[in-house]
Amino acid sequence: SALTVGFGGSVGLEGPTVATGAAIGSNIGREFRLSYKQIILLLGCACAGAMASIFKAPIAAIVFALEVIMLDLTLASLVPLLVASVTAALTSYLFMGQNVLYAVAIQESFIMKHVPYYIILGIFAGFMSVYFTRVYMFVTGIFERIKSIWFRLLIGGFALGVLVFFIPSLYGEGYEEINHALNGNYTYLFDQFLYEGYRDSVFVLLIILFFLLALKVVATSITFGAGGIGGIFAPSLFVGVNLGLFVAKVMQVLGIDVPEGNFALVGMAGLIAGVIHAPLTAIFLIAEITGGYELFFPLMLAATIAYGTTRYFVKNSVYTVQLAKRGELMTHHKDRNILLMMKVSELIETNFKT
């Protein structure tokens, strides 16, 4: 994953870190001959630890483990999750300091009259999440039909190179660009850009943002399809922050005064909620990694609406859609899981003479 991102792959480093943590938890469980439920708990603890250390967000990490990874919540499982998350966060503080991942100065506190605009942002985030999921499945499906891994790599590398040539912001994971957008600074869109002379034009800015949103999803899908290893968190945050900036800019053009930085921050929560189908994780993660607790209400509003909009059109997240296709997706519905694990062919009696 470090090589994929380092050479310009349009993905993040969080997903592989969580997967590596899960693999460690699984191996420890098998080595000590633990039961199925204990191994699941270890997977949850490992994922929570990875999330807490990457984002320095121990609360969001626990919520992520419960919402996305674990299927059954008991008090006995909550204590190990707390220990794992706090330990990982403290370790991250020890090596990397206590600063937040995205330093955001909240320019304007939450105002009641902005509620309708945050609702609109949540709806847009939901539709963007649907677009993200469907494009991801479509592009990776095309690459799966290409049998040669070298041909797949060649096509993916060339396509990604063309996209990055026209829109340099698509290069890599985009954390620096996210920080700029959160502070209302969109000059990164024109850096080393063919149309740098149009830096002061609002309409050119909106056109670039539109194509950036549309093509970031394509670039991420191409990176995965061509064989790159990475995570979906960073692209979701990148698309979310630019979507928030885009919506705020459109509203300002229409004469509605809204804070760009706040919309960019709330947009990230909307995309995480929609793409990963984890609204609670989105709310706590964005609040923790930015220190934006003053915007907790807009975060809740946008994340909930984005999640609801996405679920109406797409039943599975990018994490679970492949499992659902293979019929291996476990749910939080216990009875359904039991039925899912039963194979009818094994239940039918065939050992009799006819």
Side-chain angles (χ1 to χ4, degrees):
S1 62
L3 288 171
T4 300
V5 176
F7 281 102
S10 203
V11 290
L13 295 168
E14 308 79 21
T17 311
V18 172
T20 304
I24 293 169
S26 176
N27 287 331
I28 290 172
R30 283 186 290 183
E31 189 67 31
F32 286 93
R33 304 288 192 275
L34 299 180
S35 67
Y36 171 78
K37 290 193 75 171
Q38 289 171 320
I39 290 177
I40 292 295
L41 178 57
L42 275 180
L43 291 178
C45 289
C47 292
M51 280 281 290
S53 59
I54 294 167
F55 292 113
K56 299 177 185 174
I59 299 172
I62 294 169
V63 175
F64 172 78
L66 297 175
E67 195 172 29
V68 179
I69 305 299
M70 295 187 68
L71 303 175
D72 194 14
L73 169 63
T74 62
L75 190 61
S77 63
L78 194 58
V79 174
L81 281 172
L82 283 165
V83 172
S85 185
V86 170
T87 306
L90 287 174
T91 305
S92 185
Y93 286 160
L94 182 65
F95 285 98
M96 300 173 68
Q98 290 182 245
N99 55 309
V100 293
L101 188 60
Y102 303 116
V104 183
I106 303 297
Q107 299 166 352
E108 190 176 325
S109 300
F110 169 63
I111 303 172
M112 277 294 291
K113 70 177 183 179
H114 287 162
V115 167
Y117 309 132
Y118 285 117
I119 291 173
I120 292 170
L121 177 59
I123 294 169
F124 271 98
F127 283 117
M128 192 70 212
S129 300
V130 174
Y131 170 75
F132 194 119
T133 306
R134 289 186 173 171
V135 169
Y136 173 81
M137 293 308 302
F138 176 73
V139 173
T140 51
I142 291 173
F143 276 95
E144 282 173 5
R145 291 197 288 269
I146 302 172
K147 301 303 177 186
S148 170
I149 58 171
W150 300 109
F151 194 45
R152 195 184 299 175
L153 178 66
L154 186 65
I155 293 173
F158 178 77
L160 192 61
V162 170
L163 289 174
V164 170
F165 174 77
F166 285 105
I167 305 182
S169 302
L170 297 175
Y171 185 91
E173 57 193 356
Y175 278 151
E176 191 174 336
E177 287 84 355
I178 291 172
N179 268 314
H180 285 311
L182 285 172
N183 290 295
N185 176 15
Y186 42 82
T187 55
Y188 65 91
L189 294 169
F190 296 94
D191 290 344
Q192 301 176 356
F193 197 68
L194 296 171
Y195 311 113
E196 194 171 357
Y198 298 95
R199 189 182 290 266
D200 298 326
S201 173
V202 176
F203 291 103
V204 172
L205 170 66
L206 290 175
I207 292 169
I208 295 170
L209 275 172
F210 177 81
F211 281 104
L212 179 67
L213 290 169
L215 295 177
K216 176 65 176 180
V217 179
V218 177
T220 298
S221 305
I222 288 172
T223 305
F224 281 120
I229 297 173
I232 214 81
F233 261 100
S236 300
L237 294 172
F238 183 89
V239 172
V241 78
N242 284 289
L243 177 68
L245 193 60
F246 177 77
V247 172
K249 274 292 173 189
V250 169
M251 288 183 178
Q252 287 176 355
V253 169
L254 295 173
I256 303 167
D257 185 28
V258 292
E260 295 173 357
N262 292 4
F263 267 63
L265 189 146
V266 173
M268 290 199 296
L271 257 290
I272 289 289
V275 172
I276 300 172
H277 285 204
L280 289 174
T281 300
I283 294 163
F284 285 102
L285 180 67
I286 302 307
E288 281 193 280
I289 65 177
T290 62
Y293 283 102
E294 293 175 42
L295 297 175
F296 213 76
F297 187 82
L299 288 172
M300 292 173 67
L301 199 61
T304 305
I305 292 170
Y307 172 68
T309 306
T310 309
R311 282 282 294 180
Y312 184 80
F313 294 99
V314 180
K315 299 303 178 189
N316 297 296
S317 70
V318 290
Y319 284 158
T320 60
V321 69
Q322 296 285 7
L323 289 170
K325 277 187 174 180
R326 296 198 300 265
E328 298 172 0
L329 178 61
M330 294 295 194
T331 71
H332 291 265
H333 194 295
K334 293 181 181 179
D335 293 340
R336 189 176 296 173
N337 283 338
I338 292 170
L339 290 171
L340 183 70
M341 294 171 74
M342 286 182 179
K343 298 290 182 284
V344 177
S345 58
E346 295 172 3
L347 299 174
I348 297 173
E349 290 186 31
T350 57
N351 59 340
F352 50 80
K353 293 181 180 180
T354 58

